[in-house]
Amino acid sequence: MKLYEFQAKNILKTYGVCVPDGKTVSQSADAPKIFQEIGCNRCVVKAQILAGGRGKSGGIQFVNTPEETRTCVERMLDTRLVTRQTDQKGAEIKYVLIEKAVSIKKELYLAITIDRSLKTPMLIASAEGGVEIEEVARQTPDKIIKEPVDIFFGIHPFQARRIASQLNISGALSTRLNNLVTNLFRAFVKDDCSLLEINPLAVTTDDELCALDVKMDIDDNALYRHPEFDQFLPDQDISSAESLARKYRLSYISLDGNIGCLVNGAGLAMATMDAIKLHGGEPANFLDVGGDASLERITQAFKIILSDPKVKTVLINIFGGIMKCDVIASGIIQAIKEAGIHVPLVVRQEGTNVEVAKKLLDNSGLNILSAKDMKEAASMAVRASKANGYTNR
Ligand code: GDP
Ligand code: MN
């Protein structure tokens, strides 16, 4: 889950990281007051989108009066922002952050992310921070400094000193950098980030370190232990089906095809999508209900698939191990009772309690296309998805 800059800054503040004074607005009428409250004669107006590259695309503007702030915010809320990190349609701007403009001596880059090949968090820094960081990494990769971090110990003092020296930082500033990386790592671990990036990290004219822009990405798999982040969910750039799936902790990704899939196990779900493609069809989603889904979650999963107007056929592919086939069957029956079904339903199941499950479905009165194996299931689903006018009642 990506957070907006202002949300990430609010979080980092609680870890003692210095960020500029500022406030977020969602209507231009509130803007002049904020300019006055901040109480300086120059502010930055920053379009909040879940992508970077704003500076180069007009999403970051400087203003000098309350009235100018209002017009600037008004213009931003009225447009979509296209940057090199968005698609051509651009991102809708729902919030604008108004901040005190900091006077910058130098722009640094500082981030923590996960290095997948080393299987550790990685501290990344550069003396050449700012809007050109991608170019710096491409053209002069030696200007990007990396320090793998011991996940249990954290950042060793010698590592912080090494970073400081490579950034040409010394004295009081180097102590500040040491504190900053320690706080940043604390936030990274505690909030289960997959990315925590400050770019630019400003060295201000009075030698403070101030985070001017923050990107925070929370590992979706850890969201279950962060109810405090639920408040950020409505702003996520995902389909309504995906946000419903998150609520029920289902692993669901919406795709472009028309065959809805309900599968247990990520590997089986991938294989099911492959089988559909092999038979000339297109999956409408990836959905892994997991190995221990309850009746309620199965019911919800099925409803989520049916709520997608693209879905012309549903394919259920279950290999019952820990997950029992009869629980899935009860979930299907329950969901159809509650939500109805308007498309063909193909079921293939195997494994624990499969006989009980088959009986449940047979006695349910539902019109189910029963497949003996996965190949047959895929070919039946593809055929059904292409047939017109078929309805299941
Ligand atoms: P991004 O382009 O989406 O990464 O947006 P940033 O928030 O990083 O802003 C882009 C650039 O605007 C920064 O690299 C700075 O050069 C400049 N900038 C942002 N905030 C301030 C500020 O408070 N004072 C000054 N002088 N420049 C700023
Ligand atoms: Mn930035």
Side-chain angles (χ1 to χ4, degrees), residues 54 199-200 213 215:
R54 298 164 302 167
N199 185 39
D213 183 19
K215 283 202 174 53

Side-chain angles (χ1 to χ4, degrees), residues 60-225:
I60 311 287
Q61 303 283 340
F62 291 88
V63 290
N64 304 303
T65 65
E67 189 44 33
E68 213 185 319
T69 314
R70 200 188 56 76
T71 4
C72 184
V73 171
E74 189 170 53
R75 217 176 320 119
M76 280 187 184
L77 290 172
D78 209 34
T79 48
R80 297 179 74 91
L81 184 60
V82 180
T83 79
R84 59 172 190 268
Q85 289 185 19
T86 67
D87 59 18
Q88 286 170 351
K89 284 200 325 242
E92 184 193 356
I93 303 169
K94 285 195 282 185
Y95 306 103
V96 176
L97 173 63
I98 305 168
E99 274 184 350
K100 177 177 174 172
V102 170
S103 63
I104 303 175
K105 192 150 82 180
K106 192 158 177 35
E107 297 191 15
L108 309 174
Y109 176 94
L110 186 64
I112 307 177
T113 184
I114 300 286
D115 185 308
R116 285 167 183 263
S117 40
L118 290 180
K119 302 180 185 119
T120 59
M122 183 67 88
L123 191 62
I124 304 172
S126 177
E128 312 264 331
V131 294
E132 300 294 348
I133 190 68
E134 283 96 348
E135 267 316 288
V136 174
R138 210 170 295 129
Q139 311 227 332
T140 44
D142 52 307
K143 289 188 176 162
I144 307 289
I145 309 157
K146 290 185 178 175
E147 283 286 341
V149 186
D150 180 332
I151 185 85
F152 295 111
F153 183 87
I155 296 157
H156 288 277
F158 77 85
Q159 292 183 297
R161 281 198 297 275
R162 189 151 66 197
I163 295 259
S165 110
Q166 282 171 308
L167 293 177
N168 282 322
I169 281 177
S170 57
L173 206 52
S174 126
T175 312
R176 283 183 195 132
L177 184 75
N178 188 356
N179 290 340
L180 174 64
V181 292
T182 309
N183 289 335
L184 210 59
F185 187 68
R186 229 165 19 95
F188 184 83
V189 172
K190 181 130 185 299
D191 290 340
D192 286 306
C193 299
S194 50
L195 172 72
L196 187 48
E197 180 191 78
I198 305 180
N199 185 39
L201 170 64
V203 179
T204 65
T205 39
D206 37 9
D207 263 346
E208 294 293 336
L209 285 176
C210 186
L212 290 201
D213 183 19
V214 181
K215 283 202 174 53
M216 190 165 185
D217 215 332
I218 313 284
D219 181 350
D220 288 342
N221 293 309
L223 284 177
Y224 74 95
R225 55 183 178 196

